Amino acid sequence: IDLQSFETFMSERDLVPERHRSFYARWVWRFLQSELNASTLSEQDQVTGFLDQLTRDPSVEEWQVNQAERAVKLYLNVFLPEDKRARPALETLAAAERPADVPQEAVKAGMKMRELLRLRHYAYRTEQTYLEW
């Protein structure tokens, strides 16, 4: 699994201090390699199961579990493209599906709002509500 694009993503947006980026990529790699990732569990259950595995591992300290959680959530909630996440996005709606009175600036503002909400780890339902407003 090549996570170079994930590291570049973190670097371009300065989301993670440079000295931690390789560790974030390594946690994501471990998550993607875990048997939980290939199962039929929901994404949240996969993350919870992965973190539980790390917690039970005596060689992994609590701060590392916290770092792994941040890394995996950053990868899943911010990095992965919208179409892979199966969430409707303002930018992917066809022009015919958008209300006629929604200017392009509003669409761009919605995209920026979504990105900021995800960076702050707001719940998806909260994101939907804020975008509805």
Side-chain angles (χ1 to χ4, degrees):
I1 298 172
D2 180 26
L3 292 172
Q4 183 60 42
S5 57
F6 179 56
E7 287 191 67
T8 303
F9 175 82
M10 290 186 291
S11 175
E12 288 173 351
R13 288 165 178 76
D14 199 28
L15 299 173
V16 176
E18 184 177 351
R19 65 180 190 260
H20 296 163
R21 290 180 192 141
S22 63
F23 296 109
Y24 273 57
R26 219 171 296 146
W27 289 123
V28 170
W29 182 83
R30 280 182 68 174
F31 171 74
L32 294 174
Q33 292 295 318
S34 72
E35 63 268 357
L36 292 169
N37 193 40
S39 70
T40 58
L41 296 173
S42 72
E43 187 176 279
Q44 182 60 41
D45 290 340
Q46 290 174 5
V47 173
T48 302
F50 174 67
L51 296 174
D52 287 344
Q53 283 180 342
L54 291 179
T55 302
R56 289 191 303 269
D57 185 345
S59 66
V60 178
E61 296 183 29
E62 183 179 348
W63 68 267
Q64 291 173 307
V65 174
N66 294 333
Q67 185 182 61
E69 180 178 16
R70 287 190 304 273
V72 170
K73 286 184 176 181
L74 178 65
Y75 179 78
L76 295 174
N77 297 332
V78 181
F79 174 71
L80 288 182
E82 282 294 319
D83 58 353
K84 187 163 184 160
R85 307 267 312 132
R87 292 181 177 173
L90 289 173
E91 68 271 22
T92 61
L93 291 175
E97 295 174 351
R98 271 190 218 134
D101 60 343
V102 176
Q104 187 62 27
E105 296 83 31
V107 173
K108 288 181 182 179
M111 291 167 40
K112 183 68 175 172
M113 178 184 262
R114 173 176 280 119
E115 181 181 343
L116 292 172
L117 290 171
R118 290 184 181 178
L119 284 172
R120 291 181 176 92
H121 305 290
Y122 278 71
Y124 177 59
R125 300 298 281 164
T126 303
E127 175 185 311
Q128 287 179 318
T129 302
Y130 285 10
L131 289 171
E132 289 284 320
W133 289 348

